[in-house]
Structures are given as C-alpha cells and as structure tokens.
Amino acid sequence: MSAAEKLHLHSETAQPLFSVRDLTHLYGPEKGCQGVSFDLYPGEVLGIVGESGSGKSTLLSLLSGRCPPDRGSVSYRDSEGNWLDLYSASEAQRRTLLRTEWGFVEQNPRDGLRMGVSAGANIGERLMAQGVRHYGELRAAGIDWLQQVEIDPLRIDDLPRTFSGGMQQRLQIARNLVSSPRLIFMDEPTGGLDVSVQARLLDLLRGLVRELDLAVVIVTHDLAVARLLADRLMVMRRSHVVEAGLTDQILDDPQHPYSQLLVSSVLQP
Amino acid sequence: MNAQAQTQYATEVGYNFAYLDEQTKRMIRRGLLKAVAIPGYQVPFGGREMPLPYGWGTGGMQLTAAILGAEDVLKVIDQGADDTTNAVSIRRFFARTAGVKTTTRTPEATVIQTRHRIPETPLNGDQIMVYQVPIPEPLRFIEPSETETRTMHALEDYGVMHVKLYEDIATFGHIATSYAYPVTVDARYVMDPSPIPKFDNPKLHMSPALMLFGAGREKRLYAVPPFTRVVSLDFEDHPFEIQRWDECCAFCGSQDSYLDELIVDDAGTKRFVCSDTDYCMQRRDLEEEGAQ
C-alpha cells in the first residue's frame, strides 16, 4: 500500500459518518431528549443506556429520521462522501436512505417484519425496492442471509409467524443487512428474549458488526449488552446525556452519580 | 340547455337525464379530467348513493352517468357476457333513465361499461370503456394505511409490489396472480386494472380507446388515456405471461379468446366457451354467412 493510499484510508475512517448537534425534542420539561451532540465514525458501535423514560427511544427516532426535532441537526455522510442534513432533505431522500444505507432493528420483530409474507420475501424486499427484478438473485440472497443469521435455509418459504422469537429477531437483522447498509439503529434488540437466546443473538451481532464494519447506534437498558457490543456509551437521564465515553471507562469507573447508581445496580452473579 | 334537450328522450319521468343530477355529474367530470391528465393516479370523488348495493357496479354507473350523452350507444358486460343479471339490469337502468340506445355489439357501442373483461373485438378511438372497480388501491394488500399508500404513490416507492409476485413464485413456481394483475401506467403510477384477467392486460397497452375506472365504495376514479403505455409488472427470469388454453371454444371454435370452463354433466365432462358472448356470436354469424 502506497503512502497516498494509506493517507486516503486514514482520512476515510477519520471522518465521521454521522454527526449530531444539539438535538432536542421535548414533550414536556425534562421529557424527551435535549442538547444531544455526538459524532459516529465508520465501524463504531455507540450504546445508549438509561432508565425507562430517560429519552433513549425518542433520541433513536430523532436519529433515524422518524420524528422531526424541535431543534438541532442530524447529518449523514453518504457513500459518495456528501453530507446530507437529514431533516432538510426530502422525504424521498430520507426513505431511500432508510432502505439502502441504513437499517432499523425494532425491539419487537413483528414491527420490523412483514408477517404475512415468507422469510425469503422479507429478506428480498429491500433488494426489490432497490430495483432488483431477478427472482433467482433474490432467492440466492435470501438463502445466503438465512445461513448468515443461522436459520435453516429450508425455511425460506415459511411465514415469520411460524418462527420462534429469537429466529424472528435474526430474520429482522438479515432483512436489514441484505442491502449492505453502513449504519444500523437497534432498539433493544435482545429485549423479550430469554438469556440463552440473547447470548447467541449477541454473539451473532458482534460477529456481523465486526465482519461488515457496520456503524451501530444501539439503545438498551441492559448493561451487559452494552459491554459486549458497544465501543462507546452515552448514559441518559431525564432527557439529558449525563455521561459519555468509552464503554469500559464508564462501566468500570463511572463519574456521574447516576452512572454509578446504574452500574452498581447490576446484580453480580 | 343540453340537459333539457336530452330529457325528452328519457322514457322514465321524474328522473334527471341518466339518474344523477347535473351538479354531481359535473363534479365527476372534473375528477375524470384530472384522472386523464395524470394517468393511473387515483382521484377521490364524492360518490353518491345509487339505487343498488356497493359491489354491483355503483362506481362504474356513476362514471357512465357522468359521461353519457343522448347520442351515445351503451353496452354493458359482466364476466364478458351481455345477458347476465348485472349487465341486463344496468343496461335497462340507463335505457329507462337516459333513454339512450343500447346494444350488445361491441363495434356499435360508444360507451362500454364492464366488470372483469375487455371485449375481444379491438376497440376504436371513438369508444370509452368504463370499469367497475372493487379495490382501486394496488398496494392495499400489503399496506393497510391509506396515508401510507398515498405517500408510497407520491414517492414512487413500489418495491413492495414485487413482494407479492415473489410470494407467488415461491409458493406456486410461477406468477399465479391471474386477475387484478398490477400494471405500471406511463412509467409512473402502479395501477390495479380492476378484476380483469391478466389475459386482458396487453389490451390496455396503447389502446386507442379511453379507459375510465370507478370505485363506488372507495370513492376513487382513475383513467388510462388513449395510447398510453401500460406495462404489467414481472421478474426478468419470470416474465409476464397470459393464460393459454389447449381447447378451443365449443361454439365458435376460437383459439385465441378467453375461455370459460363449463361442467356439462354429472360425470364432470368439461366444455370451454368464449367468455365474450358478443365476440362468439359475431364469429358464428360470420361462419353461417360463409356457409350460405
């Protein structure tokens, strides 16, 4: 690799992928989220932790373009290197982004999947939306992704409702990853799954995130999930980010009283 | 003035020409102009109560009433046939309330109201087809929300249309959707061509006749103007195909018309006849003439 190439590679990872400034959306005093700013770099996993009602999910829907903020900006650098301001872009641009370069994994797989059509159609939908009109290719992509998320490829024509909860969640992940996105939002992806299924899903997620070099914003109330997946953490409380930093740093040496409370409240086995 | 001139043809007194009042007809015509201007786009209209239940062709009848003039010749078909209950009663309805001439012969008609079929006889530029549509929204099966489907139309977000076709191939090995087969009109809007069999889809493409679609329950109308590109959705490796039969019509021997299957006895003997009764009659008349 020449020096110039190295430099280029360096500048590629040195530039943030996603940039958020002073993002605010309040439903009432201290309800919602306010004054959130951060940069997310390619391949980085950002965890957002906090108690129920602290504004985690509001923040996630603001970030993913689902709800216009009262104040602040969200910008994204697309694969061509152009910065796009999410909320001044047209609805069509936002939708295209959401089904190509972004993904959203819902807490409840029923919200993220089409329950009335087969697993293969669920995986192929994004590709069809992007204009793939070759049945054989769609089929091959379906089988490939079922294998990647450890679902038996023979079940490609089964309806998602015949799948177990963990399988549905993995199917949802496959459906999002098929368009090779660069940024994935996850809202409590392991919520509602039992511990052993959670462990397998986390293992799979960690593998995929590293393999595909995905940037991820993951909302969770489970510190174990955060420790396993996230590079960086933001701790939220009453609509404010009270502490942000490297995951190990926050979990091993929390500074803010609330973070200390949160970390100490985890049961030690 | 025009309406006054027309009323003298009405055989039933007490009704305005073609049943609907003039203001309603103007409202529908305005909707139709918009629909023709934006091919395949669904225009809402203030649907009126008609003296028959929803699902019997109220949408088509309101459109027919709005465009009918005293000089028009009306043909009504149901399942391709001119002599079924629905076709007979709608034809008589307009004969009595508008006093217009009616016919069963396709080339003589200027307005043809239909459910299910486009006549086999090629249409000409002086004719208007009016379709009775049950569900105008082609995206409805996958997206129940009306606001969402409108946004999808506006943004040309039609990826989900292929999900249904994918499901067909995955389940049956071929595209099994055989009627209400979705089409793209003028490379823009995806449209449900009402419950016509996909056999008739190619007849929509570049047709010289104006095609109007009316959905009474959903209160939507849309149109395909003459000489508009209408392309059926498909996959590259599973192209669009129309139905084919090994048999030919038992009456007229036609091999290229849409055939209905009839069970003629208890042993399950099958015969196939043209679904378009007028086309079948025309062919038989021609044969008789040839024989004489």
Side-chain angles (χ1 to χ4, degrees):
Chain A
M1 190 185 282
S2 74
E5 270 176 303
K6 258 184 202 158
L7 196 70
H8 177 74
L9 208 72
H10 181 71
S11 67
E12 168 63 27
T13 47
Q15 264 208 56
L17 183 72
F18 193 64
S19 178
V20 176
R21 291 289 170 268
D22 190 29
L23 202 60
T24 301
H25 185 80
L26 289 175
Y27 304 105
E30 312 266 279
K31 292 265 185 308
C33 74
Q34 54 186 318
V36 179
S37 303
F38 67 89
D39 285 330
L40 188 71
Y41 289 81
E44 190 183 27
V45 181
L46 174 71
I48 302 171
V49 295
E51 61 194 358
S52 298
S54 60
K56 305 187 298 280
S57 298
T58 306
L59 178 58
L60 198 68
S61 48
L62 290 173
L63 294 179
S64 57
R66 294 182 167 192
C67 156
D70 296 342
R71 193 172 76 228
S73 71
V74 179
S75 27
Y76 170 74
R77 187 168 55 88
D78 68 16
S79 46
E80 270 109 58
N82 305 315
W83 282 96
L84 181 79
D85 183 355
L86 195 60
Y87 287 102
S88 60
S90 69
E91 167 109 27
Q93 276 177 310
R94 259 205 303 275
R95 280 187 178 228
T96 313
L97 208 57
L98 262 171
R99 64 167 186 245
T100 53
E101 297 191 10
W102 289 11
F104 198 110
V105 178
E106 307 267 2
Q107 176 174 12
N108 186 345
R110 279 176 200 84
D111 299 335
L113 291 172
R114 286 197 192 279
M115 298 305 280
V117 299
S118 69
N122 265 294
I123 295 179
E125 187 185 328
R126 274 175 165 241
L127 296 177
M128 292 184 237
Q130 286 172 27
V132 176
R133 295 286 177 267
H134 193 281
Y135 178 77
E137 281 173 25
L138 292 167
R139 196 79 182 159
I143 289 171
D144 178 38
W145 273 100
L146 283 179
Q147 279 168 337
Q148 292 217 39
V149 297
E150 297 164 15
I151 298 176
D152 184 358
L154 289 175
R155 302 205 58 179
I156 187 166
D157 292 331
D158 292 351
L159 292 180
R161 87 168 80 91
T162 66
F163 287 16
S164 71
M167 283 166 79
Q168 287 181 358
Q169 196 57 283
R170 275 179 278 152
L171 181 62
Q172 199 196 168
I173 290 167
R175 174 186 155 91
N176 274 289
L177 293 184
V178 69
S179 64
S180 19
R182 301 163 76 213
L183 175 61
I184 299 272
F185 300 97
M186 295 188 191
D187 190 3
E188 311 251 8
T190 57
L193 301 177
D194 75 58
V195 184
S196 62
V197 177
Q198 262 190 33
R200 278 188 61 197
L201 186 75
L202 284 173
D203 216 33
L204 176 80
L205 271 178
R206 193 160 60 161
L208 287 172
V209 164
R210 295 284 173 265
E211 193 180 316
L212 305 169
D213 202 23
L214 290 172
V216 179
V217 178
I218 180 167
V219 161
T220 179
H221 60 257
D222 188 343
L223 290 181
V225 172
R227 189 189 278 279
L228 207 59
L229 279 179
D231 303 318
R232 268 200 302 152
L233 274 189
M234 288 197 333
V235 183
M236 288 193 74
R237 182 175 188 240
R238 290 195 195 153
S239 78
H240 292 281
V241 174
V242 293
E243 191 170 355
L246 295 177
T247 305
D248 292 344
Q249 195 183 331
I250 288 186
L251 292 183
D252 296 340
D253 182 20
Q255 299 297 314
H256 190 274
Y258 176 69
S259 315
Q260 290 169 352
L261 188 73
L262 199 67
V263 172
S264 65
S265 68
V266 175
L267 290 177
Q268 300 296 335
Chain B
M1 162 67 203
N2 192 23
Q4 224 173 20
Q6 284 165 349
T7 27
Q8 66 195 8
Y9 294 98
T11 50
E12 195 81 23
V13 288
Y15 288 109
N16 189 34
F17 177 77
Y19 186 75
L20 289 177
D21 62 277
E22 293 303 312
Q23 286 305 319
T24 303
K25 290 197 274 184
R26 287 181 64 187
M27 175 268 294
I28 295 174
R29 283 182 213 132
R30 278 198 297 270
L32 286 172
L33 286 176
K34 182 168 181 180
V36 170
I38 318 171
Y41 173 74
Q42 296 166 49
V43 182
F45 73 104
R48 298 291 189 257
E49 289 272 330
M50 294 301 277
L52 78 171
Y54 288 133
W56 287 60
T58 52
M61 282 174 76
Q62 290 177 74
L63 260 54
T64 302
I67 59 170
L68 215 54
E71 307 301 319
D72 272 319
V73 183
L74 180 70
K75 171 183 162 81
V76 184
I77 46 179
D78 176 22
Q79 300 280 6
D82 292 279
D83 49 6
T84 48
T85 314
N86 204 206
V88 170
S89 53
I90 292 177
R91 195 162 56 229
R92 197 168 54 196
F93 176 85
F94 282 113
R96 285 173 64 184
T97 58
V100 291
K101 261 173 65 184
T102 60
T103 182
T104 58
R105 291 179 49 78
T106 306
E108 288 170 10
T110 57
V111 175
I112 305 174
Q113 183 174 333
T114 179
R115 187 185 178 81
H116 307 118
R117 288 305 313 282
I118 299 175
E120 308 284 359
T121 316
L123 301 171
N124 63 53
D126 296 329
Q127 294 177 314
I128 300 179
M129 290 286 298
V130 176
Y131 296 77
Q132 306 165 198
V133 181
I135 301 169
E137 181 51 73
L139 299 162
R140 181 66 69 235
F141 78 99
I142 204 137
E143 182 50 69
S145 153
E146 175 70 22
T147 46
E148 181 60 22
T149 53
R150 282 198 210 185
T151 317
M152 289 163 84
H153 279 296
L155 299 176
E156 233 178 318
D157 189 0
Y158 290 135
V160 289
M161 286 314 298
H162 278 81
V163 171
K164 179 158 190 274
L165 303 181
Y166 173 97
E167 279 294 273
D168 269 2
I169 304 174
T171 318
F172 304 107
H174 61 98
I175 298 177
T177 304
S178 58
Y179 68 100
Y181 193 102
V183 293
T184 306
V185 180
D186 200 27
R188 175 60 181 86
Y189 283 98
V190 165
M191 182 189 95
D192 181 352
S194 92
I196 62 169
K198 64 178 172 186
F199 181 87
D200 286 342
N201 273 16
K203 293 181 197 160
L204 289 167
H205 179 61
M206 287 301 189
S207 166
L210 172 63
M211 312 273 182
L212 304 176
F213 299 78
R217 195 197 320 256
E218 306 275 331
K219 299 177 175 52
R220 291 285 183 280
L221 51 87
Y222 48 103
V224 177
F227 302 108
T228 304
R229 288 167 295 161
V230 178
V231 181
S232 306
L233 303 181
D234 61 359
F235 284 108
E236 284 159 12
D237 46 349
H238 286 267
F240 173 77
E241 275 172 358
I242 60 170
Q243 294 102 323
R244 299 250 172 253
W245 289 264
D246 296 331
E247 298 80 5
C248 53
C249 173
F251 294 141
C252 72
S254 169
Q255 287 176 318
D256 46 13
S257 80
Y258 188 87
L259 299 180
D260 282 340
E261 181 182 325
L262 300 180
I263 309 284
V264 288
D265 59 20
D266 289 348
T269 312
K270 282 187 251 178
R271 293 181 83 186
F272 289 83
V273 295
C274 289
S275 110
D276 185 341
T277 50
D278 168 58
Y279 175 76
C280 200
M281 288 293 285
Q282 283 182 46
R283 279 179 57 93
R284 274 183 282 166
D285 290 348
L286 268 178
E287 266 172 41
E288 274 173 32
E289 275 171 34
Q292 278 165 6

